[in-house]
Amino acid sequence: MLANQGRGSTLQSIYRDIYGGDYPSEVEPFGFVTLSDLRLLAEILAQSHTTHLLDVGCGRGGPGLWIARELGVPLIGVDIIAEAVAAASERAKSFGMASPAGFYVASATDTGLPAGSFDGAVSVDALWMVHDKSAAFRELARVLRPGGRLVFTSWEPALLPYDSFLERAGFTDVTKQEIAGSRDREIAVHKAILRNWEAISRELGKEAAEVLVAEATHTPALLDDTPRVIISAIRSR
Protein backbone atom coordinates (compact mmCIF):
# COMPACT_ATOMS: atom_id res chain seq x y z
CA MET A 1 0.00 0.00 0.00
CA LEU A 2 2.72 2.44 0.96
CA ALA A 3 4.43 2.30 -2.41
CA ASN A 4 1.29 3.71 -4.03
CA GLN A 5 0.39 6.32 -1.43
CA GLY A 6 1.70 9.14 -3.58
CA ARG A 7 -0.91 8.20 -6.17
CA GLY A 8 -3.77 8.14 -3.67
CA SER A 9 -5.32 11.44 -4.71
CA THR A 10 -8.87 10.28 -3.93
CA LEU A 11 -7.93 9.26 -0.40
CA GLN A 12 -6.05 12.49 0.20
CA SER A 13 -9.04 14.45 -1.10
CA ILE A 14 -11.28 12.64 1.38
CA TYR A 15 -9.10 13.74 4.29
CA ARG A 16 -8.84 17.30 2.96
CA ASP A 17 -12.60 17.61 2.54
CA ILE A 18 -13.40 16.26 6.00
CA TYR A 19 -10.58 17.93 7.95
CA GLY A 20 -10.72 21.26 6.13
CA GLY A 21 -8.24 23.78 7.50
CA ASP A 22 -7.01 21.29 10.11
CA TYR A 23 -5.62 19.00 7.39
CA PRO A 24 -1.79 19.16 7.41
CA SER A 25 -1.27 19.28 3.63
CA GLU A 26 2.50 19.71 3.88
CA VAL A 27 2.77 16.54 5.93
CA GLU A 28 0.61 14.48 3.52
CA PRO A 29 -0.40 12.02 6.24
CA PHE A 30 -1.85 8.65 5.35
CA GLY A 31 -4.10 8.70 8.38
CA PHE A 32 -5.98 10.77 10.92
CA VAL A 33 -3.41 13.23 12.30
CA THR A 34 -4.38 16.91 12.17
CA LEU A 35 -2.54 20.20 12.44
CA SER A 36 -4.05 20.58 15.90
CA ASP A 37 -2.58 17.22 16.91
CA LEU A 38 0.87 18.16 15.60
CA ARG A 39 0.82 21.51 17.38
CA LEU A 40 -0.15 19.87 20.66
CA LEU A 41 2.54 17.20 20.33
CA ALA A 42 5.15 19.87 19.62
CA GLU A 43 3.92 22.00 22.52
CA ILE A 44 4.19 19.12 24.99
CA LEU A 45 7.73 18.31 23.84
CA ALA A 46 8.72 21.98 23.93
CA GLN A 47 7.61 22.21 27.56
CA SER A 48 10.15 19.49 28.34
CA HIS A 49 12.88 21.36 26.43
CA THR A 50 13.42 18.53 23.96
CA THR A 51 16.74 18.80 22.10
CA HIS A 52 17.03 15.38 20.38
CA LEU A 53 13.85 13.77 19.03
CA LEU A 54 13.02 10.18 18.12
CA ASP A 55 9.99 9.32 15.94
CA VAL A 56 8.88 5.71 16.38
CA GLY A 57 6.83 4.25 13.53
CA CYS A 58 7.71 7.31 11.47
CA GLY A 59 6.03 6.13 8.26
CA ARG A 60 6.84 8.51 5.42
CA GLY A 61 8.23 11.00 7.90
CA GLY A 62 5.89 13.96 7.62
CA PRO A 63 4.59 14.29 11.22
CA GLY A 64 8.00 13.81 12.81
CA LEU A 65 9.66 16.25 10.42
CA TRP A 66 6.96 18.85 11.09
CA ILE A 67 7.40 18.56 14.86
CA ALA A 68 11.21 18.55 14.71
CA ARG A 69 11.20 21.63 12.50
CA GLU A 70 8.79 23.36 14.87
CA LEU A 71 11.13 22.61 17.78
CA GLY A 72 14.31 23.30 15.81
CA VAL A 73 15.88 19.98 16.84
CA PRO A 74 17.52 17.03 15.07
CA LEU A 75 15.32 14.02 14.32
CA ILE A 76 15.83 10.29 14.04
CA GLY A 77 12.93 8.23 12.69
CA VAL A 78 12.51 4.45 12.65
CA ASP A 79 9.98 2.26 10.89
CA ILE A 80 9.80 -1.43 10.02
CA ILE A 81 8.84 -0.72 6.40
CA ALA A 82 11.85 -0.01 4.18
CA GLU A 83 9.73 1.84 1.61
CA ALA A 84 8.50 4.19 4.32
CA VAL A 85 12.04 4.92 5.47
CA ALA A 86 13.15 5.65 1.90
CA ALA A 87 10.19 8.00 1.40
CA ALA A 88 10.93 9.76 4.70
CA SER A 89 14.55 10.30 3.71
CA GLU A 90 13.46 11.89 0.45
CA ARG A 91 10.87 14.05 2.19
CA ALA A 92 13.48 15.34 4.64
CA LYS A 93 15.52 16.82 1.77
CA SER A 94 12.72 19.18 0.82
CA PHE A 95 11.20 19.90 4.22
CA GLY A 96 13.23 22.99 4.97
CA MET A 97 14.74 21.88 8.28
CA ALA A 98 17.78 23.60 9.73
CA SER A 99 18.55 20.59 11.93
CA PRO A 100 19.49 17.18 10.49
CA ALA A 101 17.13 14.24 10.14
CA GLY A 102 17.89 10.57 9.58
CA PHE A 103 15.63 7.58 9.03
CA TYR A 104 16.35 3.90 9.60
CA VAL A 105 14.66 0.53 9.26
CA ALA A 106 14.03 -0.77 12.78
CA SER A 107 11.19 -1.90 15.00
CA ALA A 108 9.64 -0.19 17.99
CA THR A 109 10.79 -3.09 20.16
CA ASP A 110 14.40 -3.02 18.93
CA THR A 111 15.51 0.32 17.51
CA GLY A 112 19.22 -0.52 17.59
CA LEU A 113 19.89 2.98 18.91
CA PRO A 114 22.25 3.78 21.81
CA ALA A 115 20.77 3.98 25.30
CA GLY A 116 19.93 7.46 26.52
CA SER A 117 20.30 9.02 23.06
CA PHE A 118 17.16 11.19 23.20
CA ASP A 119 15.33 13.49 25.57
CA GLY A 120 12.12 13.39 23.54
CA ALA A 121 10.21 10.70 21.64
CA VAL A 122 7.05 10.90 19.58
CA SER A 123 4.84 8.38 17.82
CA VAL A 124 1.80 9.19 15.70
CA ASP A 125 -0.88 6.49 15.41
CA ALA A 126 1.71 3.70 15.27
CA LEU A 127 2.11 2.07 18.70
CA TRP A 128 -1.39 0.57 18.64
CA MET A 129 -0.15 -1.76 15.87
CA VAL A 130 2.77 -3.09 17.94
CA HIS A 131 1.84 -6.51 19.33
CA ASP A 132 4.35 -6.54 22.20
CA LYS A 133 3.61 -3.15 23.76
CA SER A 134 5.55 -3.99 26.91
CA ALA A 135 8.70 -4.52 24.85
CA ALA A 136 8.08 -1.33 22.87
CA PHE A 137 7.78 0.84 25.96
CA ARG A 138 10.82 -0.80 27.55
CA GLU A 139 12.78 0.06 24.42
CA LEU A 140 11.52 3.64 24.47
CA ALA A 141 12.52 3.93 28.13
CA ARG A 142 15.97 2.58 27.24
CA VAL A 143 16.71 5.11 24.48
CA LEU A 144 15.31 8.07 26.46
CA ARG A 145 17.43 9.87 29.01
CA PRO A 146 16.08 10.03 32.57
CA GLY A 147 13.56 12.86 32.61
CA GLY A 148 12.96 12.56 28.85
CA ARG A 149 9.41 12.76 27.57
CA LEU A 150 7.41 10.38 25.41
CA VAL A 151 4.26 11.69 23.73
CA PHE A 152 2.13 9.74 21.29
CA THR A 153 -1.26 9.43 19.66
CA SER A 154 -3.05 6.11 19.59
CA TRP A 155 -6.37 4.35 19.95
CA GLU A 156 -6.80 3.09 23.51
CA PRO A 157 -9.20 0.23 24.20
CA ALA A 158 -11.15 0.70 27.41
CA LEU A 159 -10.08 -2.75 28.64
CA LEU A 160 -6.38 -2.30 27.78
CA PRO A 161 -5.20 1.13 28.92
CA TYR A 162 -1.61 2.16 28.28
CA ASP A 163 -0.92 3.24 31.86
CA SER A 164 0.22 -0.14 33.12
CA PHE A 165 2.54 -0.75 30.14
CA LEU A 166 4.16 2.64 30.64
CA GLU A 167 4.56 2.36 34.40
CA ARG A 168 6.08 -1.14 34.21
CA ALA A 169 8.55 0.11 31.60
CA GLY A 170 9.75 2.91 33.88
CA PHE A 171 7.59 5.89 32.96
CA THR A 172 5.90 8.24 35.40
CA ASP A 173 3.58 11.25 35.22
CA VAL A 174 1.33 9.57 32.67
CA THR A 175 -1.31 11.94 31.34
CA LYS A 176 -3.83 11.47 28.56
CA GLN A 177 -6.59 13.29 26.80
CA GLU A 178 -9.13 12.19 24.24
CA ILE A 179 -8.73 13.98 20.93
CA ALA A 180 -11.86 16.07 20.52
CA GLY A 181 -13.91 15.37 17.41
CA SER A 182 -11.71 12.51 16.27
CA ARG A 183 -14.46 9.86 16.36
CA ASP A 184 -16.82 11.80 14.10
CA ARG A 185 -14.05 12.64 11.63
CA GLU A 186 -12.88 9.04 11.49
CA ILE A 187 -16.40 7.76 10.83
CA ALA A 188 -16.84 10.36 8.07
CA VAL A 189 -13.57 9.22 6.48
CA HIS A 190 -14.60 5.56 6.62
CA LYS A 191 -17.96 6.31 5.00
CA ALA A 192 -16.25 8.28 2.24
CA ILE A 193 -13.80 5.43 1.60
CA LEU A 194 -16.72 3.03 1.11
CA ARG A 195 -18.37 5.47 -1.30
CA ASN A 196 -15.17 5.92 -3.31
CA TRP A 197 -13.64 2.46 -3.14
CA GLU A 198 -13.54 1.99 -6.93
CA ALA A 199 -11.42 5.12 -7.47
CA ILE A 200 -9.20 4.19 -4.52
CA SER A 201 -8.73 0.71 -5.96
CA ARG A 202 -7.61 2.15 -9.31
CA GLU A 203 -5.09 4.42 -7.61
CA LEU A 204 -3.71 2.22 -4.83
CA GLY A 205 -4.35 -1.24 -6.23
CA LYS A 206 -6.97 -3.83 -5.40
CA GLU A 207 -5.16 -5.33 -2.40
CA ALA A 208 -4.63 -1.97 -0.68
CA ALA A 209 -8.21 -0.92 -1.39
CA GLU A 210 -9.54 -4.13 0.11
CA VAL A 211 -7.61 -3.46 3.33
CA LEU A 212 -9.05 0.06 3.53
CA VAL A 213 -12.57 -1.14 2.81
CA ALA A 214 -12.31 -3.81 5.53
CA GLU A 215 -11.13 -1.19 8.02
CA ALA A 216 -13.86 1.23 6.93
CA THR A 217 -16.48 -1.47 7.37
CA HIS A 218 -15.49 -2.74 10.80
CA THR A 219 -13.72 0.12 12.61
CA PRO A 220 -16.64 2.53 13.27
CA ALA A 221 -18.34 0.04 15.61
CA LEU A 222 -15.20 -0.03 17.78
CA LEU A 223 -14.67 3.69 18.20
CA ASP A 224 -17.08 4.21 21.11
CA ASP A 225 -14.91 2.00 23.31
CA THR A 226 -11.58 2.79 21.65
CA PRO A 227 -11.06 6.55 21.57
CA ARG A 228 -8.09 8.20 19.90
CA VAL A 229 -5.96 9.82 22.58
CA ILE A 230 -2.77 11.80 23.15
CA ILE A 231 -0.66 10.29 25.93
CA SER A 232 2.39 11.81 27.58
CA ALA A 233 4.80 10.25 30.06
CA ILE A 234 8.20 10.95 31.61
CA ARG A 235 11.12 8.53 31.71
CA SER A 236 11.75 8.05 35.41
CA ARG A 237 15.01 9.41 36.82
Side-chain angles (χ1 to χ4, degrees):
M1 182 188 298
L2 187 138
N4 295 328
Q5 283 181 9
R7 299 201 297 271
S9 60
T10 298
L11 194 57
Q12 294 294 344
S13 294
I14 288 171
Y15 284 110
R16 286 191 186 96
D17 291 344
I18 291 168
Y19 284 72
D22 212 16
Y23 179 77
S25 297
E26 182 185 21
V27 170
E28 292 185 342
F30 201 68
F32 297 99
V33 68
T34 66
L35 275 174
S36 297
D37 296 342
L38 294 174
R39 288 170 181 147
L40 181 54
L41 292 167
E43 179 183 331
I44 293 169
L45 289 164
Q47 290 171 355
S48 294
H49 307 290
T50 295
T51 61
H52 292 80
L53 182 64
L54 172 65
D55 182 6
V56 177
C58 64
R60 298 185 300 160
L65 286 165
W66 192 98
I67 293 168
R69 186 183 62 188
E70 190 78 1
L71 298 174
V73 301
L75 171 71
I76 296 295
V78 296
D79 199 283
I80 60 172
I81 302 176
E83 290 174 335
V85 169
S89 297
E90 286 300 312
R91 183 178 297 276
K93 297 176 184 177
S94 60
F95 215 80
M97 284 180 58
S99 299
F103 297 92
Y104 305 95
V105 178
S107 73
T109 58
D110 183 10
T111 64
L113 297 167
S117 302
F118 305 91
D119 52 15
V122 66
S123 183
V124 176
D125 295 350
L127 290 172
W128 69 276
M129 293 183 287
V130 177
H131 293 294
D132 192 344
K133 290 180 175 56
S134 294
F137 289 121
R138 285 196 303 269
E139 176 67 358
L140 282 163
R142 185 187 71 81
V143 299
L144 279 171
R145 300 167 191 164
R149 184 179 292 274
L150 165 66
V151 61
F152 62 98
T153 63
S154 186
W155 289 267
E156 185 180 49
L159 298 178
L160 194 65
Y162 282 97
D163 307 58
S164 59
F165 293 114
L166 288 161
E167 290 165 0
R168 287 198 301 268
F171 287 93
T172 61
D173 300 297
V174 178
T175 62
K176 70 181 71 174
Q177 63 185 85
E178 187 170 341
I179 300 173
S182 185
R183 175 186 176 277
D184 291 341
R185 290 193 297 264
E186 290 176 53
I187 289 174
V189 167
H190 291 312
K191 288 180 177 178
I193 286 172
L194 294 175
R195 289 196 304 270
N196 293 277
W197 72 270
E198 290 181 340
I200 293 171
S201 182
R202 288 193 298 270
E203 293 167 2
L204 299 183
K206 182 179 178 181
E207 183 177 354
E210 287 176 347
V211 171
L212 289 172
V213 167
E215 291 178 352
T217 301
H218 300 294
T219 299
L222 305 176
L223 293 177
D224 285 339
D225 296 322
T226 312
R228 187 164 173 268
V229 294
I230 289 181
I231 298 177
S232 174
I234 300 292
R235 168 71 163 89
S236 60
R237 297 184 182 275

